[in-house]
Amino acid sequence: MRLPAQPRSHAKHPAQGVLDLGIEGETEIRGFGMGVLSDGTPFLNQRGLARLCGVRNAHIGTISKTWNVEPQKPRLKKIRAILSSSGVALQEPHIRLRRGSRAILAYPQPVCLVILEYYAFHAGARCRDEARNNLRALAGRALQEFICAQVEQPTPRRPEVAEIASAGIKPH
């Protein structure tokens, strides 16, 4: 799986191409900034992803800033390895977009899940209970949707991400 290329002004590999992505819909609920890109990709903004993982916004920002820095630190090696094992290869973990005068870093759903998994299980002493609880809640919801789809039954009301995560999330 390859996520859409990011629109930006500096040089890219010619094979990558550029998609003119926009934001189809966007909202913020209890500090969880989220939306859907014009190609249908769900995303969280940087603060929303940090809140979901139970870490400071700066930790997610550091992942983005050091994504292509060599040598890679263990955190990035692990995150990239998990993405790679799922067939996801990225030049950046986010897609930089503009909404009016605002710059938005949109972290696509596959990246969000991998970063959440990292903080839930692979961060050593920096593992977060919030991340673990939120990952379990989201995984349980995905299993419920899968089973309902297989037996052609409607899925019960879908709670908002903030409802799923509110029990473990603490403001920073």
Side-chain angles (χ1 to χ4, degrees):
M1 172 183 179
R2 293 188 75 69
L3 295 175
Q6 294 184 65
R8 57 181 160 160
S9 59
H10 51 285
K12 292 181 165 219
H13 188 278
Q16 184 176 4
V18 175
L19 294 177
D20 189 20
L21 289 175
I23 298 173
E24 194 68 28
E26 178 184 24
T27 192
E28 183 170 318
I29 301 170
R30 294 190 201 158
F32 289 90
M34 63 188 85
V36 176
L37 299 176
S38 56
D39 69 349
T41 302
F43 72 89
L44 290 174
N45 67 21
Q46 185 170 307
R47 289 191 188 281
L49 178 55
R51 193 166 166 92
L52 188 68
C53 294
V55 299
R56 295 191 183 279
N57 185 38
H59 293 298
I60 305 301
T62 299
I63 290 170
S64 286
K65 288 178 194 166
T66 60
W67 190 257
N68 292 307
V69 172
E70 294 293 337
Q72 287 193 331
K73 299 213 176 204
R75 171 174 56 175
L76 274 181
K77 282 182 183 177
K78 185 63 178 177
I79 290 168
R80 291 180 79 136
I82 298 167
L83 280 168
S84 179
S85 72
S86 300
V88 177
L90 302 170
Q91 285 189 344
E92 301 286 342
H94 63 267
I95 299 166
R96 185 179 299 276
L97 301 166
R98 298 218 55 85
R99 182 81 175 216
S101 63
R102 280 188 316 144
I104 295 174
L105 297 184
Y107 291 81
Q109 175 257 334
V111 174
C112 292
L113 288 176
V114 167
I115 293 174
L116 181 59
E117 177 184 337
Y118 172 79
Y119 281 109
F121 303 114
H122 305 291
R126 292 184 177 94
C127 282
R128 300 282 186 242
D129 287 338
E130 296 97 330
R132 211 171 3 261
N133 293 339
N134 292 337
L135 185 60
R136 287 178 181 138
L138 292 169
R141 184 69 188 165
L143 181 59
Q144 179 184 27
E145 289 176 0
F146 172 76
I147 292 169
C148 289
Q150 299 311 304
V151 297
E152 299 177 358
Q153 294 295 313
T155 304
R157 183 186 79 82
R158 171 178 228 147
E160 299 292 336
V161 171
E163 288 179 53
I164 293 170
S166 64
I169 299 298
K170 295 177 183 75
H172 293 285

